[in-house]
Amino acid sequence: MTESTLSRRRMLGGVAAGTLGVAALGAAPEFSTARAQAAPIRRQPAPSGTYRIDLHAHFLPPDYRAALLAHGHFTIGGYPTPTWSPEDALAFMDYYGIQAQALSVSDPGVSFLHGKEANDLARYCNDYAAQLIKTHRTRFGAFAVLPMPDIAASIEEAIYALETLRLDGVVLLSAYDGVYLGDPRYEPLMIALNQRRAFVFVHPAAILADAKPELPLPDFMEEFTFDTTRAATMMMVTGMTQRYPDIRFQLSHAGGTLPFLSHRIGVASQTVLGDLWPQDLPKPSILDIQNLISRFYYDTALSGYPAAMASVLTVTTRDHIVFGSDWPFSAATLPQTGDHDPAPGLSNIFDADQRMEIERHNPLRQLPRLAEAVNT
């Protein structure tokens, strides 16, 4: 990437913020004269039984957790690095009516290691997941971790995990060493994943310390959602999602802030800003962005409440929403006491049939191997 390109992008970002900000300020008086009246929330009954399929659930195999701690990762996104075991996972699932979890390694993946160490740890995690699936065939699936940002090694591991181990997809972080999905250097990996029609779970990564404001807040509270938004936006504006339509991308936490920003992202290149748009990037229109955003899958992890779900429903259809618990990183909010519903807020916007669609049918449509296992 040239310095001139970088300068154009900086200029574009600055002018976009200013122009759209002025537009927003110009509209402010209209809203200052009236208050929006929120409709009363009516809680609807949830389905009963053990039916949920959890597509945002993590695992920390023993050697993986030991490696995290040995390299100083005592917190993940500001959350204390949790313990995990198959027994604890099954107990959690049984309490909250979860039939199966598609397990994945959370941030930082294996990117805190390099070379053979990263390759070996990724292989260990994926082999561990495959053995767990054999032992508990109807209870677990898995998304393979890749030794990113090593592209060649990641392609090799993806092929092994998808074709030999028959894992259900792969997990990618929003960025590696500050380089976001959508960057051209990831192109060979995307080609391999597209050829295999892979399901890709996009999980946020912690922001590099020198690239974020110094706020007394843990990354998981806000920064994780912002990073998911950055990754999704870069995949769209660089044309990655358009070039590889057979990859199905699941965005964590209801897509971060992507639904809220959907119009803003699409309108930028269609204004006077179009003349400043970087020459090496396609110019998405509002309709382009609306179409691309509608194709992502959005999970309910830490987002199963009306404000988040109503926002998602403005940019996609209900069949693109999938259930996620974010356990064990959500253990503090899901303490296995009281209500056996892991996402009671969903009943404030969805009825029982719609919840069954989101929490079971939609996830199983995307993961045919897991669907076959749980339905036989």
Side-chain angles (χ1 to χ4, degrees), residues 43-44 304-305 334 339 341-349 355:
R43 182 169 170 76
Q44 306 174 77
Y305 48 85
L334 294 171
D339 196 337
D341 186 344
L346 292 177
S347 286
N348 293 331
I349 192 168
R355 286 197 61 172

Side-chain angles (χ1 to χ4, degrees), residues 226-248:
F226 301 154
D227 222 50
T228 297
T229 306
R230 295 180 186 108
T233 301
M234 289 304 297
M235 286 193 291
M236 291 186 294
V237 302
T238 61
M240 180 170 282
T241 51
Q242 298 92 309
R243 288 191 298 278
Y244 306 111
D246 289 332
I247 301 176
R248 292 152 296 143

Side-chain angles (χ1 to χ4, degrees), residues 279-324:
Q279 294 299 312
D280 57 340
L281 292 181
K283 281 186 183 180
S285 69
I286 295 174
L287 293 178
D288 291 335
I289 292 297
Q290 288 175 348
N291 174 54
L292 295 172
I293 288 178
S294 73
R295 288 164 46 187
F296 287 119
Y297 290 84
Y298 299 81
D299 72 50
T300 67
L302 299 176
S303 305
Y305 48 85
M309 290 296 101
S311 183
V312 170
L313 287 171
T314 65
V315 298
T316 193
T317 49
R318 196 171 57 246
D319 61 348
H320 278 62
I321 303 175
V322 295
F323 173 71

Side-chain angles (χ1 to χ4, degrees), residues 61-74 109-110 112-113 117 121 124-125:
D63 290 358
Y64 175 73
R65 186 174 188 275
L68 284 173
L69 298 179
H71 287 79
H73 291 278
F74 302 110
V110 298
F112 61 96
L113 299 175
E117 285 187 302
L121 190 57
Y124 162 77
C125 290

Side-chain angles (χ1 to χ4, degrees), residues 20-51:
L20 295 174
V22 169
L25 288 174
E30 176 184 347
F31 294 99
S32 65
T33 59
R35 288 186 177 181
Q37 297 298 317
I41 292 176
R42 182 177 62 203
R43 182 169 170 76
Q44 306 174 77
S48 60
T50 302
Y51 68 92

Side-chain angles (χ1 to χ4, degrees), residues 54-58 102 201 203 250 252-253 299 301 323-327:
D54 187 352
L55 297 198
H56 187 149
H58 299 299
F201 173 35
H203 193 278
Q250 172 188 332
S252 297
H253 312 120
D299 72 50
F323 173 71
S325 71
D326 211 352
W327 195 82

Side-chain angles (χ1 to χ4, degrees), residues 61-366:
D63 290 358
Y64 175 73
R65 186 174 188 275
L68 284 173
L69 298 179
H71 287 79
H73 291 278
F74 302 110
T75 64
I76 304 297
Y79 187 94
T81 302
T83 58
W84 177 92
S85 72
E87 295 75 22
D88 288 344
L90 290 168
F92 168 81
M93 293 159 67
D94 289 343
Y95 190 92
Y96 285 111
I98 298 171
Q99 183 176 0
Q101 288 185 329
L103 300 172
S104 60
V105 168
S106 183
D107 179 52
V110 298
S111 62
F112 61 96
L113 299 175
H114 302 283
K116 186 176 184 303
E117 285 187 302
N119 299 346
D120 289 349
L121 190 57
R123 179 61 56 91
Y124 162 77
C125 290
N126 295 333
D127 284 343
Y128 185 102
Q131 185 58 50
L132 191 63
I133 291 170
K134 288 181 180 178
T135 306
H136 301 280
R137 181 172 175 271
T138 63
R139 304 306 303 274
F140 292 112
F143 300 135
V145 62
L146 306 181
M148 293 286 280
D150 185 329
I151 301 302
S154 293
I155 293 173
E156 180 179 350
E157 188 62 25
I159 294 172
Y160 171 75
L162 295 173
E163 297 185 358
T164 301
L165 298 182
R166 293 196 65 221
L167 299 189
D168 299 286
V170 303
V171 56
L172 293 176
L173 299 181
S174 51
Y176 295 89
D177 297 331
V179 179
Y180 283 88
L181 299 181
D183 189 277
R185 70 195 76 185
Y186 299 137
E187 205 82 359
L189 175 61
M190 294 300 160
I191 292 172
L193 295 175
N194 191 68
Q195 289 171 342
R196 290 159 180 81
R197 304 178 67 88
F199 190 86
V200 176
F201 173 35
V202 178
H203 193 278
I207 313 297
L208 297 175
D210 60 355
K212 66 178 179 180
E214 293 186 11
L215 301 175
L217 301 171
D219 280 352
F220 74 81
M221 185 177 296
E222 294 179 341
E223 295 298 334
F224 267 11
T225 65
F226 301 154
D227 222 50
T228 297
T229 306
R230 295 180 186 108
T233 301
M234 289 304 297
M235 286 193 291
M236 291 186 294
V237 302
T238 61
M240 180 170 282
T241 51
Q242 298 92 309
R243 288 191 298 278
Y244 306 111
D246 289 332
I247 301 176
R248 292 152 296 143
F249 291 100
Q250 172 188 332
L251 302 180
S252 297
H253 312 120
T257 61
L258 183 64
F260 175 80
L261 295 174
S262 57
H263 179 79
R264 185 183 181 104
I265 293 169
V267 77
S269 69
Q270 304 305 305
T271 66
V272 293
L273 302 179
D275 294 336
L276 304 174
W277 198 265
Q279 294 299 312
D280 57 340
L281 292 181
K283 281 186 183 180
S285 69
I286 295 174
L287 293 178
D288 291 335
I289 292 297
Q290 288 175 348
N291 174 54
L292 295 172
I293 288 178
S294 73
R295 288 164 46 187
F296 287 119
Y297 290 84
Y298 299 81
D299 72 50
T300 67
L302 299 176
S303 305
Y305 48 85
M309 290 296 101
S311 183
V312 170
L313 287 171
T314 65
V315 298
T316 193
T317 49
R318 196 171 57 246
D319 61 348
H320 278 62
I321 303 175
V322 295
F323 173 71
S325 71
D326 211 352
W327 195 82
F329 292 92
S330 61
T333 59
L334 294 171
Q336 299 177 57
T337 58
D339 196 337
H340 288 262
D341 186 344
L346 292 177
S347 286
N348 293 331
I349 192 168
F350 301 115
D351 63 26
D353 289 342
Q354 293 168 341
R355 286 197 61 172
M356 181 66 74
E357 179 184 2
I358 289 166
E359 296 176 275
R360 181 176 181 84
H361 300 317
N362 293 347
L364 290 180
R365 274 196 291 268
Q366 300 311 314

